[in-house]
Amino acid sequence: MAISTPAQKPLGAASSTRSTRGGSGGGPAVAVTDVRLPRAPPVPWVDVSAARVVAVAPASPAARAGLVPGDEILAVNGEVPRDVIAYQLAADEAELELHVNRGGLELRVSVEKSPGEPLGAELHAAVFDAVRTCDNHCEFCFIYQLPAGLRRSLYTKDDDYRLSFLYGNFTTLTRFTEADLERVVTERLSPLHVSIHATDPGVRAELLRNRRGATSLRWLRALLDHGIEVHGQVVVCPGLNDAEVLEDTFAGVLDEYPELASVCVVPLGVSRFNREQRMRPHTPAEAAAVVATVEDWQEVFLDVLGRRMVFAADEYYLLSGTPFPPAEAYEGFPMHEDGVGMARAFELEFTGRAGRVTATRPGFFSWVDGAPASGYRASRLEGGQATPVVLRTGRTAPVGILTGAYGARVLEPLLDELGRRDVRLVTVPNRFFGGNIAVAGLLVGADLSVALEREPEGHRYLLPDVCLSGGRFLDGTTPADLPRPVEVVATDGFALRAALKR
Ligand code: SF4
């Protein structure tokens, strides 16, 4: 590979070569050469911001090529990437020529690597030509229920099919276009995740508070017609789209969209910042009714399609006190990331009855924190291994497992079975969001600090990684800001079990 810095030296001056052949990298040998070449050809103008490198994986092709944090990748093999999908497709090639802006200097960087080998550059964002924001105004939108003063990016109401593909975000398709369909189909951007909420056009438009909500599911039909795998979601607002409306939605799914891979049914989250009068948490009886409706319709789908199709979120079982379904009823846990079957999967992992970690654990709002070097939708902790962030305590110290109210109810019976008197739960109430927010993924540093202040020093404290995104809690603090040292543990049963053995 070669890095040329034409703006620094006149043509004809001496060149030098620093060989890194046989260095720490595992890929093809590279030689870094400073040579005078004509200025890198101009990159065709496109209205995109450049992909900025925020980290370089050690010994990766990017590291061997000399890329450093702060470099802006303007083009890959002459193409200006609009998003990390295009970037990664281009960067999969074995031979790359990168146009790089380094502090105002335009560089041309050539890289040789194995085809498909990740370049190893972590980028500042997943989308470089601006996230497509939604034109809906859902009463149940959690963005409207965030407190003021958080990172600006957290307030982005995204409705972008690319983030649906990359991170499993749900899109309502109200801003989807013919060109988007063409790209999805051509590049096989599958699976996608679509917010359904109701199949009745009038109800859906009312829920989204957007008249386009009445018609945008035509794109869902088109995606399914082209063989794109799609997972659906129904956020249930009590009194609005539960009961008969939910029944009607399931009938609509069976009638119009039977190719859907799965549909998760999740309860409305209501924080203390909610200002919408009609939004309220489910009562336990309403939660039980949703579970019953879902399970009735699972039988119908089984009869007609041979699979259950619709699944209720774990929160419904916890809220209604209904026992979780057996593992096989989750049919491979297709919507684990959306809180469906997490409890059952965790149990299988913790008790050693699962062969591997069930799914990736993206964490809330993970998409706002850039694109990982190892590829989007990658597990943040490979192999489910615990990553000690701060560990100054003795290994024989008693252990406190930090979790939210729902997590505690899942873990309690598992720890009882374990019979370890030195292991206890530290249940952290979510005062930051308040309302009915009780999942571990929305725990913030401020609440964890209050809980840890009351706990003894010198103990080990285990923290599920699902409440971190880019190493930070949603309130912007980090584990290092907590009053006790904590160990960040991947949010799966294997990792917790392994952490408890240490
Ligand atoms: S579509 Fe999503 S982001 Fe947009 S208003 Fe509705 S809930 Fe919020």
Side-chain angles (χ1 to χ4, degrees), residues 131 256 461:
V131 169
E256 298 174 63
Y461 294 101

mmCIF file of all heavy atoms in Angstrom, residues 131 256 461:
data_model
loop_
_atom_site.group_PDB
_atom_site.id
_atom_site.type_symbol
_atom_site.label_atom_id
_atom_site.label_comp_id
_atom_site.label_asym_id
_atom_site.label_seq_id
_atom_site.Cartn_x
_atom_site.Cartn_y
_atom_site.Cartn_z
ATOM 1 N N VAL A 131 -29.510 10.946 8.583
ATOM 2 C CA VAL A 131 -30.530 9.942 8.909
ATOM 3 C C VAL A 131 -31.882 10.451 8.429
ATOM 4 O O VAL A 131 -32.204 11.630 8.590
ATOM 5 C CB VAL A 131 -30.569 9.720 10.436
ATOM 6 C CG1 VAL A 131 -31.788 8.904 10.840
ATOM 7 C CG2 VAL A 131 -29.289 9.062 10.908
ATOM 8 N N GLU A 256 -53.134 -10.421 4.877
ATOM 9 C CA GLU A 256 -52.403 -9.587 3.907
ATOM 10 C C GLU A 256 -50.892 -9.775 3.920
ATOM 11 O O GLU A 256 -50.226 -9.553 2.917
ATOM 12 C CB GLU A 256 -52.696 -8.107 4.185
ATOM 13 C CG GLU A 256 -54.155 -7.726 4.031
ATOM 14 C CD GLU A 256 -54.400 -6.289 4.460
ATOM 15 O OE1 GLU A 256 -53.843 -5.385 3.833
ATOM 16 O OE2 GLU A 256 -55.131 -6.081 5.455
ATOM 17 N N TYR A 461 -19.359 -5.862 41.815
ATOM 18 C CA TYR A 461 -20.653 -5.462 41.274
ATOM 19 C C TYR A 461 -20.664 -5.716 39.770
ATOM 20 O O TYR A 461 -19.779 -5.228 39.053
ATOM 21 C CB TYR A 461 -20.946 -3.991 41.601
ATOM 22 C CG TYR A 461 -21.122 -3.792 43.086
ATOM 23 C CD1 TYR A 461 -20.083 -3.273 43.864
ATOM 24 C CD2 TYR A 461 -22.297 -4.183 43.716
ATOM 25 C CE1 TYR A 461 -20.221 -3.140 45.240
ATOM 26 C CE2 TYR A 461 -22.446 -4.051 45.087
ATOM 27 C CZ TYR A 461 -21.410 -3.539 45.850
ATOM 28 O OH TYR A 461 -21.558 -3.429 47.205
#
